[in-house]
Amino acid sequence: MAGRIRQSDVEEVKARTNLADIVGDYVTLKSAGVGSLKGLCPFHDERSPSFQVRPQVGLYHCFGCGEGGDVYEFLMKMDHVTFAEAVERLAARIGYSLHYEDGGPAAAESGNRARLIAANAAAEDFFRERLGAPDADAARRFLGERGFDPIAAERFGVGFAPNAWDALGAHLRGRGFTADELAASGLVSTGERGSSYDRFRGRVIWPIRDVTGQTVGFGARRLLDDDKGPKYLNTPETAIYHKAQVLYGLDLAKREISRSHRVVVVEGYTDVMACHLAGVDTAVATCGTAFGVDHIKVLRRVLGDDSGLGEVVFTFDPDEAGQKAALRAFGEEQRFAAQTYVAVGPEGLDPCDLRLKQGDAAVRRMVDAKRPMFEFVIRQALSKYDLETVEGRVAALRECAPIVAGIRDAALRPGYTRQLARMLGTELTEVQSAVQASLRATGAQAGRSAGRGDQRGERDARRDREPYDSRGEHERVRREPEVTLASIGSDPATRLEREALMAVLQYPQHVGAQRAAAVAHSGFSNASLAVVRDAIAANADAYGTAAWAERVAGDVPPPFAGLVRQLSVAPIPARDEAGAAAFATSVTASLLDRDLLRRKADALGRLQRTDPGDRETVAGIQRELVQIDADRVRLRGE
């Protein structure tokens, strides 16, 4: 199991990374005043930009949808990678060697992963170039017969593996890759006598990429009659390729899946190509294995599957294999919070053949004509029985009642109960009784399964539907209302406190440590802003460092972290650095002057309550009043 990345490395990588450069790969940013950039939010649709980026502070925030965080959180949300993957990706970008703790991979192992990624990238270039070679005529003809022109092949990185014993291996060794690296990457195999040969020969090649777009493996389709291998051949399990955890096309589909909260799961590489070319750009496919639990976990992260509003649409062939695949998917359906559907093409055509015969619009219509998975599975179950006989109807009811009982949304069960009664031609009360009996049996079984830790117990199913924490792991999260700038009010006192904290968080170089400490010990009327003030005081040792604002955000209770980040990126009324300095000085001076006035009023009250005969106490209060007035004069002179 991989260990934790050393915290000092995490901080160093972030300090060396310019947030604007990373965000700029996804969002067009424009100047929004001194030290601030803005653009259209990548996390929701908007017409005017509300997405603010502060490179100096290292934070971003959208004032429209509330998304915000540092560079790691941006990559995790945009590319749906784990925290460790985000750190590793940025470290590779700047050429920084990471160190791992708790028995994690050593630097050499991390470097080996990078070499495997590089070997796959070089192999992809080789395959793509060879698609234009004279010996690739069969591959070009295969693609053309399925409606894919050279532009489509280029878009999806499709290539050709020459029908030669060691063409790829020789090419990669010439590029500096060792025999061990090529074997570890799965690109070459070893014969009985120890000689190596290309794993893929005489085949059409599709690059299989992870969610970040890095090529981690390949899928290959047989072309030649004398090829006695399987019709489809994939990269074997390697350190970077795990077929149960990758989905072909996800790197291309992830943004639209995240935006639309819909994913279409098809059965093959050409089906993914056909869907995307037809405008169904949320299509993905498994790679040489059945759709399973790990695929669901990947998709749930991309979908943001914690609201129940998403859609997962499966396409299956109408043959026996397709029906088995549908039932396997239905067996795991409960792990999605999203609603699940099945789309079947007319005449049983898969998306590739449907596009070829009826055009792009037919593919879109097929997906739009989806049916709820429960309905599909019920119809498949009923098709096995002779409903003209009493025995057939009884047997069908026994199989279908648990399916209806398993519908998560209780509001849908009565409708499906009535529909099942119509399909069976059976009295509604009889079907209702069977469904209720299945519900009671399912509830009892779920209780026993949860007690035993059964994988299909309701406890585990519920756990799998819960959101991921910021490190990408399952964690039971108690959701508390987040505090935002919009929720704290905008009365004059709150506005002054808010702007003073903005100055301390955004421009520590202009406020200065001494004045920031004074602000952190001032009285605040807004309780939410007082929480931020206290975190500033507690982290004074980090004042002005690269991680200053993030240290404060990490120290407040979770519901207040977003407020800190908003304060750290909210635009200020200044056009240049001099204006920012003037703003920081002015607003903090006003806050401190207000606090001095409060202290003066408090001192005058104590003076009035003091016995005039207590000359020592009276003199002390008077000296305090003189000092307060002097401090106010000094503030006004700055």
Side-chain angles (χ1 to χ4, degrees):
M1 178 178 179
R4 290 174 57 88
I5 300 171
R6 189 178 298 173
Q7 186 60 32
S8 59
D9 284 355
V10 173
E11 295 171 358
E12 183 66 21
V13 169
K14 182 160 67 171
R16 294 191 189 187
T17 301
N18 187 328
L19 175 62
D21 291 342
I22 303 303
V23 176
D25 289 340
Y26 304 84
V27 180
T28 299
L29 297 173
K30 298 180 180 180
S31 176
V34 57
S36 184
L37 301 168
K38 66 179 179 181
L40 293 175
C41 180
F43 301 111
H44 81 290
D45 292 327
E46 61 178 4
R47 293 187 177 181
S48 57
S50 57
F51 184 77
Q52 299 279 333
V53 178
R54 289 297 310 277
Q56 276 188 315
V57 180
L59 296 174
Y60 69 91
H61 187 83
C62 176
F63 289 89
C65 68
E67 290 284 359
D70 63 6
V71 66
Y72 295 136
E73 289 171 285
F74 182 81
L75 282 180
M76 290 163 64
K77 292 170 183 174
M78 284 300 301
D79 288 337
H80 309 284
V81 295
T82 65
F83 176 78
E85 289 168 340
V87 178
E88 290 169 344
R89 183 172 171 183
L90 291 180
R93 180 184 177 111
I94 64 174
Y96 185 89
S97 296
L98 296 172
H99 303 83
Y100 296 78
E101 299 172 345
D102 302 330
E109 185 176 338
S110 178
N112 185 52
R113 175 183 173 85
R115 290 294 290 170
L116 298 186
I117 293 290
N120 277 281
E124 179 182 349
D125 291 341
F126 173 82
F127 292 139
R128 293 173 71 165
E129 182 179 350
R130 291 303 296 259
L131 185 61
D135 62 340
D137 181 66
R140 293 191 294 270
R141 187 167 58 252
F142 171 88
L143 293 170
E145 289 171 352
R146 284 154 181 77
F148 305 127
D149 58 19
I151 296 176
E154 178 68 22
R155 174 177 172 180
F156 293 93
V158 183
F160 172 70
N163 190 27
W165 189 255
D166 192 36
L168 175 64
H171 172 78
L172 294 180
R173 287 192 295 274
R175 297 285 299 273
F177 293 97
T178 67
D180 288 342
E181 288 171 340
L182 297 184
S185 69
L187 293 169
V188 302
S189 300
T190 303
E192 294 180 358
R193 298 182 179 180
S195 60
S196 65
Y197 58 90
D198 292 349
R199 178 177 178 84
F200 306 113
R201 303 185 306 279
R203 290 174 175 255
V204 178
I205 300 288
W206 286 269
I208 299 171
R209 303 181 179 118
D210 64 14
V211 73
T212 70
Q214 293 181 313
T215 300
V216 295
F218 297 92
R221 204 272 190 189
R222 185 179 61 203
L223 292 172
L224 307 175
D225 293 336
D226 59 355
D227 186 342
K228 303 306 180 183
K231 183 177 181 180
Y232 283 96
L233 181 66
N234 287 74
T235 295
E237 293 288 305
T238 71
I240 61 173
Y241 177 76
H242 306 286
K243 63 183 180 181
Q245 298 174 5
V246 292
L247 288 160
Y248 177 72
L250 185 58
D251 59 306
L252 301 174
K254 63 185 177 184
R255 293 190 193 176
E256 184 60 23
I257 292 173
S258 180
R259 187 197 67 80
S260 65
H261 299 290
R262 172 196 265 194
V263 62
V264 178
V265 182
V266 299
E267 293 199 300
Y269 305 127
T270 57
D271 290 333
V272 171
M273 294 175 68
C275 284
H276 280 256
L277 293 171
V280 182
D281 45 9
T282 60
V284 300
T286 59
C287 302
T289 186
F291 187 82
V293 174
D294 287 333
H295 295 124
I296 291 174
K297 291 178 180 179
V298 171
L299 284 182
R300 293 194 66 248
R301 287 171 53 192
V302 180
L303 277 167
D305 186 37
D306 58 1
S307 65
L309 300 178
E311 294 183 356
V312 182
V313 183
F314 293 91
T315 66
F316 298 110
D317 293 337
D319 58 17
E320 183 178 353
Q323 292 178 21
K324 289 182 178 178
L327 293 176
R328 282 195 301 268
F330 175 69
E332 303 294 346
E333 185 269 348
Q334 294 275 346
R335 294 181 180 273
F336 283 110
Q339 298 298 316
T340 54
Y341 300 87
V342 173
V344 178
E347 303 175 14
L349 295 173
D350 60 31
C352 182
D353 289 336
L354 181 60
R355 175 176 179 265
L356 193 61
K357 293 185 177 182
Q358 299 185 23
D360 292 346
V363 177
R364 296 192 295 270
R365 287 195 299 270
M366 179 192 76
V367 175
D368 290 339
K370 63 189 184 297
R371 292 184 294 173
M373 178 169 276
F374 281 102
E375 178 184 334
F376 176 83
V377 173
I378 289 170
R379 290 184 182 277
Q380 291 295 321
L382 292 177
S383 67
K384 297 186 297 184
Y385 299 98
D386 181 2
L387 302 183
E388 297 300 322
T389 66
V390 173
E391 292 80 4
R393 291 193 295 271
V394 170
L397 178 58
R398 285 174 179 165
E399 181 170 346
C400 293
I403 297 174
V404 176
I407 297 176
R408 290 192 310 273
D409 190 343
L412 296 177
R413 287 192 207 121
Y416 276 104
T417 301
R418 289 192 294 271
Q419 187 170 336
L420 178 57
R422 288 195 298 270
M423 291 177 177
L424 290 170
T426 303
E427 291 293 331
L428 176 60
T429 54
E430 184 178 346
V431 177
Q432 287 173 331
S433 297
V435 171
Q436 288 300 318
S438 294
L439 276 171
R440 290 191 295 270
T442 301
Q445 178 63 34
R448 290 192 296 271
S449 296
R452 293 193 307 266
D454 192 319
Q455 183 179 5
R456 291 302 299 151
E458 178 61 21
R459 180 184 61 184
D460 282 2
R462 187 168 59 247
R463 178 204 65 194
D464 279 344
R465 293 195 296 269
E466 288 171 354
Y468 288 85
D469 75 352
S470 63
R471 294 296 189 262
E473 303 295 336
H474 280 302
E475 187 171 286
R476 299 290 295 274
V477 179
R478 179 187 175 189
R479 295 186 177 275
E480 299 182 18
E482 291 190 356
V483 182
T484 65
L485 285 178
S487 70
I488 64 174
S490 59
D491 59 273
T494 295
R495 187 163 57 249
L496 176 61
E497 294 166 6
R498 179 189 69 204
E499 292 181 348
L501 293 181
M502 287 166 54
V504 171
L505 290 168
Q506 296 185 32
Y507 296 99
Q509 71 275 25
H510 296 317
V511 175
Q514 185 175 357
R515 175 168 289 191
V519 169
H521 290 87
S522 299
F524 272 49
S525 60
N526 187 286
S528 296
L529 293 175
V531 173
V532 180
R533 173 206 62 191
D534 293 343
I536 287 174
N539 290 276
D541 61 308
Y543 186 74
T545 64
W548 161 237
E550 196 60 19
R551 271 280 296 270
V552 176
D555 202 37
V556 296
F560 294 86
L563 176 61
V564 175
R565 288 166 178 162
Q566 290 183 29
L567 292 167
S568 301
V569 302
I572 64 166
R575 296 183 177 179
D576 52 28
E577 197 69 20
F583 166 81
T585 300
S586 173
V587 72
T588 53
S590 295
L591 181 76
L592 295 177
D593 188 48
R594 187 190 73 173
D595 197 58
L596 288 170
L597 275 174
R598 178 189 59 78
R599 289 171 52 195
K600 183 175 182 177
D602 180 65
L604 288 172
R606 283 187 283 113
L607 184 62
Q608 290 179 347
R609 293 189 298 271
T610 301
D611 185 349
D614 188 354
R615 295 182 179 180
E616 183 177 351
T617 301
V618 169
I621 295 174
Q622 289 174 338
R623 286 194 298 271
E624 182 182 350
L625 288 168
V626 170
Q627 184 60 53
I628 289 173
D629 286 337
D631 288 343
R632 295 189 68 200
V633 170
R634 177 177 53 80
L635 275 175
R636 293 169 181 172
E638 293 182 353

